[in-house]
Amino acid sequence: MPLSILISGAGIAGTALAFRLSKLGHRATVVERFPHLHASGLQLDLRGDGIQILRQMDLEDVFRAHAVPEQGIQLVDSAGRQRAYFPARNHRSGPVSQAFTSEWGIMRGDLCRIVYQAAQDRVTYRYGTSIESFEQDSDEVVVHLSDGTTGSFHLLVGADGQASQTREMMLRGTGHAEPFHSLDGYTAYFTIPWTPFTIGSSR
Ligand SMILES: Cc1cc2nc3c(=O)[nH]c(=O)nc-3n(C[C@H](O)[C@H](O)[C@H](O)COP(=O)(O)OP(=O)(O)OC[C@H]3O[C@@H](n4cnc5c(N)ncnc54)[C@H](O)[C@@H]3O)c2cc1C
């Protein structure tokens, strides 16, 4: 029997789960609080299970077409001389299991778009919407959404990131502690214009 499943969050996890569920014939609806696909962010690497799942999804070719042409990390001195070099891990790296970077690097937005586009015609996406509350009984979960609508589903999945509101709502009143604790530490990233060059050459 096809199940009706609500996923909160159209990030990598939410779009990938919607892909798999819809392929199995289930009805997947994704609510995303952002007004459109939140396809931004910097570079991330797939490792281990992520690579296997990408292959199972038959998305390796399209991934490689968008992958970052990663060579590794080079530390240089003020004269541009190489002081350290950590090559990117690739299929020729042999048993080396980890490195700072790998051939499986991609911009987060590109990966999000690739997974989304692979199943967009089979999945219902509702943007600018999030879950306000829900009630679970033995058969279904009734979900109240921020756009004022209510729906019933067989399953509700929280894929709304590490500070998931869905998880927070599920744990509320259960006596289980919320596992996400802010340490009040913040990191800022920025990008700079990039000129392609070959590692080892001086600029
Ligand atoms: C904008 C953005 C940029 C990122 N950039 C990087 C990066 O450069 N490098 C890196 O390694 N990791 C980055 N991350 C984190 C990385 O994407 C995740 O750690 C990893 O991909 C796990 O994906 P996820 O789908 O579980 O969560 P996420 O990728 O965090 O996606 C969660 C999704 O849920 C949505 N959402 C959040 N709260 C709600 C809510 N209450 N209701 C509905 N939807 C909600 C978010 O808008 C987002 O689309 C970024 C995440 C985001 C959201």
Side-chain angles (χ1 to χ4, degrees), residues 131-145:
I131 297 170
E132 298 266 295
S133 63
F134 60 86
E135 297 110 35
Q136 171 81 56
D137 66 23
S138 54
D139 294 323
E140 60 179 14
V141 53
V142 176
V143 183
H144 308 282
L145 296 166

Side-chain angles (χ1 to χ4, degrees), residues 73-91:
I73 293 179
Q74 175 179 232
L75 304 183
V76 294
D77 63 17
S78 56
R81 284 183 303 249
Q82 186 184 95
R83 290 302 184 192
Y85 172 43
F86 305 94
R89 177 167 159 64
N90 61 33
H91 53 284

